[in-house]
Amino acid sequence: MNLLVLDTSTEACAVGVAAAGVHYGRFELTSRRHTECVLPWSEQLLAQAGLDKTELQAIGVGIGPGAFTGVRLAVSLAQGMALGLGIPLVPLSTLAAIAQAQTHDGPIAVAMDARMGECYVGFYQKQDGIAHALVPERLLKPEDITLPFDGEWIGAGSAFAAYEKRLPPAFTGALQRIDGSALPQPEALLQLATYGFNTGLARAPEQIEPAYLRDKVALTTAERAGS
C-alpha cells in the first residue's frame, strides 16, 4: 500500500510515507514553520521511498483537534493534493495518533493543551494494535477531567505539563505513567491511516472537515480579565 500522511495540528510537523510495506517519516518541532515544511518533506520522503505521487492510493491527514491554523493547513493541503491525484483522504484524529504511539495494552488517557485554560481529551484502548476511542473526544477544563472507568491507565499529551497544578489528583494519581511531551508521530499516523483505508474509512476529499471541538479561537477581554 502506498500512503502519504501529514499532521500539522500541534507545534510539530509530522509527515510519513508508506511504500511497499516500508515506512518513512520525518518529525520536528517546527513552531510556526509548518507551511515551509510539510510539502518539501512530503516530496523528500516520496523520493526517498522511490515513489511518484501519482502512485499514492490515499492520503491520511490529521484533522484535529489542535491549533486552528495548523489543522486548516493540513486539511486544505491534503484536499488539494488528493483532488489533483483523484484519490481519497483518510481522516486521522490528533488525539488518537498520540494514543497510537504509546506502548501500552491497557487504556490510554490523552489530554492535549487546547489553550484558553482548556484541554482536548480522549480515552483510548488498543485492539489488534490500533487505538480506538472509548468515548467521544471532548473539550474540557483541566479540573473537570475524570477517567471513564477504573483500570491500568496511562496518560499522554501536552496538557499534563501545561496544567500540572490544575489537573485533579484523583485523575493523575490513577495513571501508571505520564508522557507529557507526546505528539503525533509519523509511524503512528501511518498505522492509523493504513487501518482506516483497509476498513473503509477513506472519504472523498471534499467530505473531510476539521475536528475543532471548539467554536472560537481566543478569549474575550472580559474572559482574560477573569482568568
Side-chain angles (χ1 to χ4, degrees):
M1 176 173 294
N2 298 332
L3 294 172
L4 169 69
V5 295
L6 52 97
D7 184 285
T8 58
S9 58
T10 69
E11 59 267 38
C13 182
V15 179
V17 168
V22 181
H23 290 182
Y24 306 83
R26 184 167 178 179
F27 169 92
E28 286 183 23
L29 297 177
T30 53
S31 186
R32 299 178 181 177
R33 297 189 298 109
H34 294 71
T35 305
E36 304 171 19
C37 299
V38 64
L39 289 179
W41 290 7
S42 299
E43 294 173 356
Q44 291 167 10
L45 291 174
L46 286 169
Q48 185 179 350
L51 197 66
D52 188 87
K53 62 183 179 181
T54 59
E55 298 177 270
L56 290 171
Q57 295 170 268
I59 298 173
V61 58
I63 61 168
F68 276 62
T69 302
V71 172
R72 284 198 304 269
L73 173 66
V75 171
S76 62
L77 287 176
Q79 285 176 326
M81 294 172 66
L83 285 169
L85 295 170
I87 58 176
L89 292 180
V90 182
L92 306 173
S93 161
T94 304
L95 302 183
I98 292 174
Q100 181 65 24
Q102 302 303 306
T103 304
H104 184 61
D105 293 330
I108 304 165
V110 179
M112 194 170 81
D113 183 8
R115 311 300 181 185
M116 296 168 58
E118 294 177 313
C119 308
Y120 297 123
V121 181
F123 301 100
Y124 303 87
Q125 175 80 52
K126 287 189 179 181
Q127 299 175 17
D128 297 324
I130 297 298
H132 294 269
L134 298 170
V135 296
E137 297 172 348
R138 300 178 63 189
L139 177 69
L140 296 171
K141 292 186 180 299
E143 296 85 355
D144 295 334
I145 302 176
T146 59
L147 294 173
F149 56 82
D150 293 334
E152 297 182 351
W153 289 86
I154 65 169
S158 57
F160 288 100
Y163 299 112
E164 180 180 4
K165 296 182 179 179
R166 293 179 56 185
L167 291 168
F171 168 56
T172 55
L175 304 175
Q176 294 186 347
R177 69 175 188 269
I178 295 171
D179 181 357
S181 62
L183 293 166
Q185 298 289 330
E187 179 61 27
L189 294 165
L190 285 168
Q191 292 170 0
L192 291 176
T194 300
Y195 171 82
F197 185 83
N198 289 335
T199 56
L201 299 181
R203 295 289 182 267
E206 63 272 17
Q207 295 179 344
I208 302 300
E209 295 183 357
Y212 292 127
L213 297 188
R214 174 192 279 151
D215 295 327
K216 63 179 183 178
V217 298
L219 294 172
T220 65
T221 302
E223 287 171 332
R224 289 196 298 271
S227 62

